[in-house]
Amino acid sequence: MSDALSQVEAILPQLSSSERILLIQKLNEEMGTHPGSGIDIQPGVCGGEARIIRTRIPVWLLVQARNLGKTDTQLLAAYPSLRPDDLTNAWTYAARHEAEIEAQIKENESA
């Protein structure tokens, strides 16, 4: 366990309920998975990779398709469960987590 995580664990019992809520909100914002972001990350779902909420469509897959020349219109046609705002959320998440998405693309290309 990292020193930073150990420090957080030591401080956590001292936080009030409202401070804990603020901490959770801050963590969610940092990860780009705050409520309403349209992006979800759950261990055991899509390998724990960022995905479009309500689906099992990982963000990296959409980014890779876009990199290969697919348009938003083509992606929406290929994935009928997607909504236009899902793509906006995916592009926003990908821009904030560029290294993560690129690593996932590379990992899945070699699989």
Side-chain angles (χ1 to χ4, degrees), residues 8-79:
V8 170
E9 285 186 340
I11 294 169
L12 196 55
Q14 301 167 27
L15 298 177
S16 68
S17 293
S18 59
E19 289 171 325
R20 288 178 184 205
I21 290 169
L22 289 172
L23 177 60
I24 291 168
Q25 289 172 342
K26 181 65 178 166
L27 290 170
N28 283 332
E29 287 171 10
E30 275 294 310
M31 295 181 68
T33 59
H34 56 87
S37 73
I39 304 298
D40 192 28
I41 299 172
Q42 291 182 21
V45 180
C46 292
E49 296 172 339
R51 65 182 173 86
I52 302 299
I53 204 158
R54 314 172 327 277
T55 75
R56 290 184 166 267
I57 302 170
V59 173
W60 72 262
L61 181 73
L62 297 171
V63 171
Q64 178 65 346
R66 192 182 211 195
N67 291 345
L68 294 172
K70 297 293 183 190
T71 65
D72 286 6
T73 302
Q74 290 171 320
L75 290 170
L76 292 170
Y79 299 96

